[in-house]
Amino acid sequence: MANRWISRPALTTLKALDKATGPCHCAAPMVADRDFFPPVMPSVTESEVAWRLHRATARPYLAAQLAAAAFTVASTTQLNTAHVRDLSPDASTITLHDHGLRSGCMTHSVPVWARPLLGATALLWRLTIGTSGPLFSDPLGSEELPSLTAFAEDCKLRPPQPPRLKPRPGRRGRTRSVKESEETIWPVCTAHFGLSWAREEPDLMQGCPHPPPHTRKTIERWKKGWLPPDYGLRELRHLR
C-alpha cells in the first residue's frame, strides 16, 4: 500500500502563478463563512496520508506544509503566508491569507491527524528563534531542501492525473495492462482565483481534471449532475 500513488484533488491547486506578499494581521473568518468547502478526505486515505507524512522526513515544517495543502486546497502562495501566530495554540485551526486574490483570507480547521505535524513545526520555531516567523520554513536555515512538489512525489502523493489511455489488445486477444505513469504532472489551476485576470489565463491543466466544486451552490449543482458554469475548461463554459 505504501508504494501506491494517492491522488488528492486538493493538490490540484498547489502550483500558483503569483507570489506571497507581506504578512497579514487580519482576523480571518472560518472557511464555511467564506462559502468555501475543501474536498473531504476519506478516513482510510486520511490514515494512510498521515502515516506517510509522519515517517517521510525529520523536518516537521516540510511534512506540515504538505499536510496543510492536503486539507486546505491552498496554493504554495497561500501556504507561504502562514506565520507561527496564524496557528492556534492547540493547532486546531490555521489561518491562510491571500490578499483578495482568491476567496479571501480564511481560517481552516486542522484535522486531528495533521495537528501533531503543525504543532511540531510551531514548537521548533519557538525553541530556536522565539519569534513568529513563516510557519512552513526552516528556522535553522537549512539549504538544498526538496521543493514541496518533489517531497509530495517522494510520499507518493499527487493531484489526479490525466485520464490514462485505454489498453490495447495484444497478441492472441490478450489485453495489455496500462501501468500508471510514474511522471507526475503538476497543473496550474486558477479555479479558486477571484480576479478577472486569473480567468483569462490560458488553460494550464495539462489534461488533469479540475478540482471539485467548492461553494454551496456549485456543490449542490454537482450533486444534481449539473456542471457549474465556472467549472472546467473555459472554452466549454459558454455551452452550460
Side-chain angles (χ1 to χ4, degrees):
M1 297 293 285
N3 291 324
R4 74 179 182 95
W5 284 101
I6 296 179
S7 296
R8 295 305 309 146
L11 298 180
T12 304
T13 57
L14 187 62
K15 292 192 70 175
L17 298 170
D18 58 321
K19 295 182 180 180
T21 57
C24 183
H25 294 269
C26 71
M30 297 296 296
V31 290
D33 296 329
R34 286 282 196 195
D35 194 24
F36 189 91
F37 298 89
V40 177
M41 190 184 302
S43 57
V44 175
T45 305
E46 194 175 72
S47 298
E48 189 168 354
V49 170
W51 184 88
R52 293 185 186 189
L53 292 181
H54 277 276
R55 290 162 176 78
T57 179
R59 299 180 174 92
Y61 47 88
L62 197 56
Q65 188 177 24
L66 185 54
F71 68 79
T72 63
V73 202
S75 67
T76 51
T77 304
Q78 291 170 296
L79 294 171
N80 289 337
T81 65
H83 279 57
V84 177
R85 63 174 175 270
D86 292 313
L87 184 69
S88 63
D90 61 354
S92 62
T93 62
I94 183 172
T95 298
L96 300 180
H97 310 277
D98 71 7
H99 304 282
L101 292 176
R102 297 171 183 78
S103 300
C105 303
M106 293 184 289
T107 299
H108 298 257
S109 295
V110 180
V112 174
W113 65 267
R115 293 178 187 178
L117 294 171
L118 273 69
T121 190
L123 180 61
L124 181 62
W125 264 98
R126 295 187 181 106
L127 290 176
T128 54
I129 306 297
T131 61
S132 182
L135 180 63
F136 302 124
S137 63
D138 182 12
L140 301 177
S142 300
E143 298 180 355
E144 299 182 0
L145 296 178
S147 65
L148 190 59
T149 54
F151 176 64
E153 291 183 45
D154 288 341
C155 298
K156 290 282 187 175
L157 300 175
R158 64 183 180 183
Q161 297 295 286
R164 290 181 288 176
L165 297 176
K166 294 182 178 179
R168 294 179 297 175
R171 295 181 180 179
R172 300 179 182 178
R174 295 179 179 178
T175 301
R176 297 178 182 176
S177 61
V178 178
K179 295 183 178 179
E180 192 169 6
S181 174
E182 292 294 323
E183 183 178 354
T184 297
I185 294 176
W186 289 92
V188 178
C189 179
T190 59
H192 298 156
F193 280 73
L195 300 182
S196 58
W197 67 263
R199 292 190 288 271
E200 296 171 357
E201 287 292 323
D203 186 84
L204 300 174
M205 293 299 295
Q206 303 183 65
C208 295
H210 284 250
H214 57 279
T215 67
R216 290 182 181 90
K217 181 178 179 179
T218 56
I219 290 172
E220 287 303 315
R221 293 186 67 178
W222 183 260
K223 289 179 179 178
K224 295 178 180 178
W226 306 337
L227 288 174
D230 60 345
Y231 184 79
L233 296 176
R234 294 181 180 84
E235 59 266 27
L236 300 180
R237 289 178 184 172
H238 70 284
L239 300 176
R240 299 174 183 169

